[in-house]
């Protein structure tokens, strides 16, 4: 197992390198460059490009970037008055992660519970109620859900603050808005998975053994049905914790979400790359964790082939 | 060869009149097959037809598709003609769904938008699902190095910001619906692949897979006839989730200027602009949202019905 984890870790690093390489060259293929502004005279533009090293061959720039990356330096923003990307992330990530963890916990608890309740009551009104929540959750995307919650709870009922990030009360609305899609997704996946499992032989065996319904559902059905939820948790965790553009801008949360979109709009090469590396590292590590967790949850799965042969 | 000759000789000797046909207690021929031989899809269709909810869902979806063709011609307003005297008008006998901020008739715009949204929703989602299922199935089934390589490729693809991919595709192919769909496929297949791979990992050690393998079934046959049909429920559920995701990704891309351009419309875009005015013109948000919601509901219930119809474990 230790050997497997070590090997898997090395492969994760290679994956990250692949991602950095892909994004580095894709970004350079985009039309324009960071210094396309009417205010800059051609001479200044020329100087800027030389100052940032864009006059050197692309592969030299690439190796230079990799060299910095190994030392943990994500470069300097070309747009925000030369702020280091490391500081940009260090300032914005805590808020995004804080909001993200709240939303993720809410979504996992709500999603799996609703999915289980709905599957156990299939075809009855409780099932349809859960489906309706899930349908509304995906049919009203974050930008609409965000505005609606703000309008109802903030403006009409005046129960909660509309925006800003200054304490627990301020976190409630963005947390709900952010978790809605994930809740809906997990509800539906959990429901489908529960229904898939219910016809399996081991459930019949458990029934034949005379186990109580609670034991069958808890020990056999849910444990076998949770796998697809775990699969999706890897990418979902990475996406939610590293900030979202829409929710953070609606509720004025000082997080990372806006930098993704602004970075691309301004064609700030180092900002795009830095954020991609950060998000990519998160994603690769989350999927790494999911692969390890797989084996613990479901003994039928052995990710490593040699282990199964033994 | 000799045995065959012998058998045909004995058959000649034994005349059919010597035999009496066996019948069961109902007087039916016992040798008559209980049910006709059906393919997987014929069987599924027969079971789906019995499901009223699923048929109703098909009806609603068909209605929306039909309305996207004829709807805009049912009113005398053009979807792009601006009317300064009738801005932000609530639904009435004249403007059935009201008007938007520029006085454009929303009935016409909703049905013109349906064309874009339904096309993108269905095409992008099904193509994504198809690619995802194939790659995920292969990855999970073969396992080992193949699985590791494919999964890491998926990590790389899902790490690339989709705005960059969308912009590069638009640069290469120009703005429009087709490039939009291509961009969404390039990045969208990964979640389905991941899900199917997880399911296949779980299923591939089951007895029926072992049985199929011992009977000499090829890998392709095991993946597509045994493993994939057994994950159909999750695939369909995820597919119905992928449709609204595609519709709203289109809305976001169109909103920032990639994809559908005004005066053209799509449901996601209408909802997006509507959400800005909903405090004084709520119908601009709620009408497109209603159509997105009912499309999702129909798709979901149809998916649920299909799940039951396609699940080989429920086959009788």
């Amino acid at each position: 197992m230790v050997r497997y984890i070590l090997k898997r870790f090395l492969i994760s690093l290679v994956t990250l390198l692949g991602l950095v390489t892909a994004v580095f060259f894709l970004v350079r293929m985009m039309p324009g460059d960071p210094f396309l502004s009417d205010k800059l005279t051609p001479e200044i533009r020329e100087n800027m490009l030389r100052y940032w090293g864009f006059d050197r061959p692309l592969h030299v720039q690439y190796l230079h970037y990799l060299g910095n990356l190994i030392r943990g330096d994500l470069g300097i923003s070309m747009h925000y008055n030369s702020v280091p990307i490391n500081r940009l992330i260090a300032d914005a990530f805590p808020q995004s992660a804080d909001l993200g963890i709240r939303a993720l916990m809410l979504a996992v608890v709500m999603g799996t519970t609703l999915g289980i309740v709905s599957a156990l009551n299939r075809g009855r009104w409780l099932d349809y109620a859960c489906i309706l929540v899930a349908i509304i959750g995906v049919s009203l995307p974050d930008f609409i859900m965000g505005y609606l919650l703000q309008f109802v709870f903030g403006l009409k009922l005046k129960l909660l603050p509309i925006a800003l990030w200054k304490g627990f009360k301020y976190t409630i609305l963005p947390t709900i808005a952010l978790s809605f899609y994930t809740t809906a997704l997990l509800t539906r996946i959990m429901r489908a998975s529960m229904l898939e499992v219910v016809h399996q032989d081991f459930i019949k065996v458990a029934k034949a053994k005379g186990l109580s319904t609670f034991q069958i559902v808890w020990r056999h059905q849910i444990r076998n049905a949770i796998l697809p939820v775990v699969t999706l948790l890897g990418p979902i965790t990475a996406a939610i914790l590293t900030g979202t553009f829409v929710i953070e801008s609606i509720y004025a949360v000082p997080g990372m979400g806006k930098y993704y979109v602004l970075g691309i709009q301004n064609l700030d090469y180092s900002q795009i790359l830095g954020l991609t590396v950060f998000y990519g590292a998160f994603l690769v590590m989350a999927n790494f964790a999911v692969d390890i967790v797989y084996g613990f949850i479901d003994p039928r799965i052995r990710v490593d082939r040699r282990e199964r042969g033994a | 060869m000799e045995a065959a000759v012998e058998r045909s000789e004995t058959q000649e000797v034994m005349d059919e009149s010597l035999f009496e046909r066996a019948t069961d207690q109902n007087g039916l021929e016992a040798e008559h097959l209980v049910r006709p031989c059906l393919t997987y899809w014929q069987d599924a269709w027969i079971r789906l037809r019995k499901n009223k909810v699923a048929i109703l869902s098909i009806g609603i979806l068909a209605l929306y598709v039909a309305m996207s063709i004829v709807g805009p011609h049912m009113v005398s307003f053009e979807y792009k003609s601006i009317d300064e005297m009738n801005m932000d008008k609530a639904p009435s006998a004249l403007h059935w769904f009201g008007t938007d901020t520029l006085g454009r008739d929303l009935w016409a715009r909703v049905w013109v938008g349906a064309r874009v949204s339904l096309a993108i929703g269905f095409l992008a989602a099904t193509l994504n699902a198809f690619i995802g299922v194939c790659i995920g199935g292969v990855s999970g089934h073969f396992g080992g190095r193949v699985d590791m390589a494919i999964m890491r490729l998926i990590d790389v693809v899902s790490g690339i910001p989709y705005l960059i991919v969308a912009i590069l595709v638009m640069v290469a192919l120009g703005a429009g619906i087709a490039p939009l769909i291509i961009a969404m496929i390039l990045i969208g297949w990964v979640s389905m692949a991941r899900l199917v791979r997880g399911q296949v990992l779980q299923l591939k050690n089951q007895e029926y897979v072992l049985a199929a393998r011992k009977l000499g079934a090829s890998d392709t046959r095991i993946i597509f006839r045994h493993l994939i049909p057994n994950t159909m429920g999750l695939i369909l559920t995820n597919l119905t989730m992928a449709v609204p995701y595609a519709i709203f990704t289109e809305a976001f891309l169109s909103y920032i200027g990639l994809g559908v351009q005004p005066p053209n419309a799509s449901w996601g875009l209408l909802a997006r602009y509507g959400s800005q005015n909903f405090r004084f013109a709520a119908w601009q948000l709620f009408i497109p949202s209603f159509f997105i919601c009912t499309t999702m509901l129909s798709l979901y219930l149809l998916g649920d019905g299909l799940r039951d119809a396609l699940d080989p474990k429920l086959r009788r």
Side-chain angles (χ1 to χ4, degrees), chain B residues 77 81-90 92 94-95 98-106 283-284:
Chain B
F77 305 100
S81 58
I82 294 169
D83 184 355
E84 301 89 345
M85 303 307 290
N86 284 304
M87 296 193 301
D88 293 322
K89 283 279 184 310
S92 62
L94 187 63
H95 294 284
T99 60
D100 72 0
T101 318
L102 294 173
R104 293 176 290 198
D105 182 58
L106 267 182
W283 69 90
Q284 291 179 5

Side-chain angles (χ1 to χ4, degrees), chain A residues 1-5 295 301-310:
Chain A
M1 197 63 188
V2 176
R3 238 192 102 206
Y4 171 72
I5 292 178
I301 292 176
R302 286 285 170 264
V303 187
D304 197 358
R305 228 176 193 181
R306 257 161 296 167
E307 278 181 45
R308 204 181 58 200

Side-chain angles (χ1 to χ4, degrees), chain B residues 141-142 213 216-225 227:
Chain B
H141 175 71
F142 289 104
R213 190 185 298 285
S218 65
D219 286 323
T220 325
R221 195 181 162 84
I222 290 176
I223 294 174
F224 291 102
R225 295 302 295 269
L227 293 171

Side-chain angles (χ1 to χ4, degrees), chain A residues 159-235:
Chain A
L159 284 174
L160 294 162
I162 298 170
L164 292 182
W165 191 250
K166 294 193 274 187
F168 179 68
K169 269 181 98 176
Y170 291 83
T171 65
I172 298 173
L173 285 185
T175 304
I176 296 174
L178 183 57
S179 69
F180 229 93
Y181 179 80
T182 313
T183 304
L185 180 73
L186 294 183
T187 301
R188 298 174 72 166
I189 296 290
M190 191 66 197
R191 179 177 181 273
S193 181
M194 286 284 284
L195 294 177
E196 200 94 329
V197 167
V198 84
H199 301 291
Q200 301 269 4
D201 289 338
F202 55 80
I203 299 287
K204 283 182 200 146
V205 171
K207 273 185 194 154
K209 280 199 300 188
L211 291 184
S212 66
T213 315
F214 174 78
Q215 275 191 313
I216 295 174
V217 170
W218 183 250
R219 303 233 335 243
H220 296 278
Q221 206 178 344
I222 292 178
R223 196 173 163 189
N224 278 286
I226 201 96
L227 200 79
V229 173
V230 176
T231 310
L232 288 178
L233 272 184

